[in-house]
Amino acid sequence: MSHLLQPTILLLRDGTDSMEGIGQIISNINAIEAVVEIVKSTLGPRGMDKMITTSKDTTISNDGATILKLLDIEHAAAKILVDIAKSQDNEVGDGTTTVTILAGELLKNAKGFIEDGMNPQIVIRGYKRALEYCLARLESLIIAVDSSPERRREMLLRCAETALNSKLLSSYKAFFAEIVVSAVEKLDSNLLDKDLIGIKEVTGGSINDSFLVSGVAFKKTFSYAGFEQQPKKFTNPKIIILKIELELKSEKENAEIRISNVDDFQSIVDAEWEIIYSKLQEIHKVGAQIVLSKLPIGDLATQWFADRGIFCAGRVSNEDINRVAKATGALLQTTVNNVSPSVLGTCGRFEERQIGAERYNLFEECPSTKSATIILRGGAEQFIKEAERSLNDAIMIVRRCFKTNTVVAGGGATEMELSKGLKKHAVGIAGKEQLVMNMFAKSLEVIPRIIADNAGLDSLDIINRLRSIHFNNDKDGTEDTLYVGVDIVHGTGNNKESFVWEPLLVKVNALKAATEAACTILSIDETVRNPKSEQEEQQRRIKKSIPNAGKRR
């Protein structure tokens, strides 16, 4: 035979599902659009909330990162978008919804090119070229802020208010912006460690009853009999922090000992008592008035401390222990043998105070105030949890402003100016990339358009007005028109004068993350699903849904 039949080569496992080519890219884009449809109504000062119900809990939120996390998305390509949006939240704390919407719009506009047969690499190259221009153009849109302490603090307050504008706390944005800025100012200016700002939720009371503690506050820990006899207020106390268990343990839990008579047993019991009493005496001898420990403090130690006017708290969480150490200067001790006064910390005032239905331990007026605690009040648990997420975003934004000290106008003003400049820049680009860059410019307009839609405005009219204002800026040369964006009251307005500001870093990261997400999705032209991995995933889900599944009875 002159021609031999080529044998069939089975490369993948039988039953493997694969999809490739243009159909795969379009399918991925459609999945991203479905995610965008869910979150886009949360953008802006009048964004709506989402209620996500799971088997364990119900969450009401308009925070993009929270929604994407709770959706538990299964589509492989959509997961990429979720991961990139999470990176935005981890890096700058805000802008996850912007990243999701902008990436979705870039992909939506690229779909037409892909369907017409354009190579995805041309689209990717055009998008990356457009991003380079936008990042360079942003430098000329920075709002100049006076570096004096008063003006700098005003900038921080405005950025905090802008971050809270689209949140549940928007009606109280001025009140909470002051709290957030004051909390960040108390941190070490070089590190600005967010973990040193605690947010404690106390159900009950008005949201306006929330306040800032210039130091550390944590909920009263589990206590034994004798605790109420301890003093609950100190001035300039000496504080010791331990990782020691001050509790009598039954000998059977720790060792097995053979004894021949009752006296031997009594000597063992006496030795245990002597050990714990020696520890307590060492703590008392060093002059400590407040004893905090990560491990339990038993009833014997609690009563012993009460008899000597010493306050103690056991089972304090790592987070709270670390913040107390930073604020008071105390050093964590794993033994009390030969402990010296140099390891003790102090604060101006300690008090155990009733807040709502809970009792809290407050360490205030600390000498090295590198920590702060926000006591958050409110009527409903869901409200308080969403308020905590809102404050977290505002804290992250203020931290970034504190470091960079550069802001740009919000409300879609920056996106409109970038869109205008990119369209003019694209005129000088030859080939298909010009079309792609024009589409990138069009995609940027999605931010002001959705802000207007969510505010109940005519988005078509708003976008046309914004285009006219920004394009005419080159003719009349008015600098203020650079900062005109969506105003939810008047339709359009100067967001620089309205103090609707965003940190430059948030805008830069959002553009980079959205473009990266879009280019990553466009570069995927094949998905292979291994049947074995699908079976393992199915078994994992069954075990997760049935607590005792897979366990031998």
Side-chain angles (χ1 to χ4, degrees), residues 280-310:
L280 299 177
Q281 287 165 0
E282 287 289 336
I283 294 170
H284 178 57
K285 187 168 65 176
V286 81
Q289 296 168 284
I290 296 176
V291 181
L292 304 179
S293 179
K294 291 184 178 183
L295 300 178
I297 297 178
D299 51 356
L300 172 67
T302 301
Q303 187 62 59
W304 195 91
F305 285 137
D307 294 341
R308 288 155 183 78
I310 299 173

Side-chain angles (χ1 to χ4, degrees), residues 82-283:
V82 173
D83 291 340
I84 292 177
K86 285 180 181 178
S87 71
Q88 169 80 5
D89 185 57
N90 294 334
E91 180 66 22
V92 293
D94 200 11
T96 49
T97 307
T98 301
V99 169
T100 306
I101 291 172
L102 186 53
E105 190 71 9
L106 288 170
L107 289 168
K108 178 182 175 182
N109 289 329
K111 184 160 66 171
F113 293 135
I114 303 299
E115 289 174 337
D116 291 340
M118 183 182 290
N119 191 304
Q121 290 302 324
I122 297 176
V123 181
I124 293 171
R125 194 159 56 243
Y127 277 177
K128 289 183 176 179
R129 197 166 179 178
L131 175 64
E132 289 177 5
Y133 169 82
C134 290
L135 296 179
R137 181 77 175 92
L138 273 173
E139 297 297 324
S140 61
L141 299 178
I142 294 173
I143 297 174
V145 180
D146 190 347
S147 59
S148 65
E150 295 80 11
R151 289 290 297 166
R152 190 161 183 257
R153 195 172 198 279
E154 183 183 4
M155 178 200 71
L156 297 175
L157 288 170
R158 299 303 183 187
C159 288
E161 289 181 14
T162 302
L164 293 170
N165 245 339
S166 61
K167 306 297 182 183
L168 190 67
L169 299 177
S170 58
S171 301
Y172 313 94
K173 61 182 181 180
F175 174 74
F176 280 103
E178 180 67 37
I179 289 178
V180 167
V181 172
S182 298
V184 175
E185 285 177 337
K186 296 185 185 303
L187 301 180
D188 188 323
S189 59
N190 295 321
L191 299 177
L192 293 177
D193 187 356
K194 178 187 167 295
D195 292 337
L196 295 179
I197 298 179
I199 302 178
K200 302 299 181 181
E201 307 166 9
V202 183
T203 306
S206 166
I207 192 71
N208 289 319
D209 293 334
S210 304
F211 61 94
L212 177 69
V213 177
S214 299
V216 184
F218 56 84
K219 188 177 176 181
K220 182 181 88 69
T221 59
F222 175 83
S223 56
Y224 290 91
F227 176 81
E228 295 301 336
Q229 300 172 27
Q230 295 179 357
K232 302 297 187 291
K233 187 179 292 187
F234 289 97
T235 302
N236 300 319
K238 299 296 182 182
I239 303 166
I240 188 169
I241 297 177
L242 306 172
K243 192 178 181 181
I244 303 172
E245 193 171 24
L246 299 176
E247 189 172 20
L248 278 171
K249 285 287 185 181
S250 176
E251 63 276 359
K252 68 180 180 181
E253 295 180 9
N254 299 318
E256 181 179 337
I257 304 173
R258 293 186 180 184
I259 57 176
S260 57
N261 56 61
V262 176
D263 292 338
D264 291 340
F265 177 77
Q266 185 60 46
S267 65
I268 294 171
V269 174
D270 291 343
E272 286 185 336
W273 284 72
E274 288 175 7
I275 290 171
I276 190 169
Y277 275 131
S278 65
K279 291 179 180 179
L280 299 177
Q281 287 165 0
E282 287 289 336
I283 294 170

Side-chain angles (χ1 to χ4, degrees), residues 39-48 62 97-98 101 166 446-448 450-452 454-455:
V39 300
K40 73 177 185 180
S41 62
T42 66
L43 184 69
R46 294 291 183 266
M48 304 295 285
N62 72 348
T97 307
T98 301
I101 291 172
S166 61
V446 71
I447 301 300
I450 291 181
I451 291 175
N454 292 344

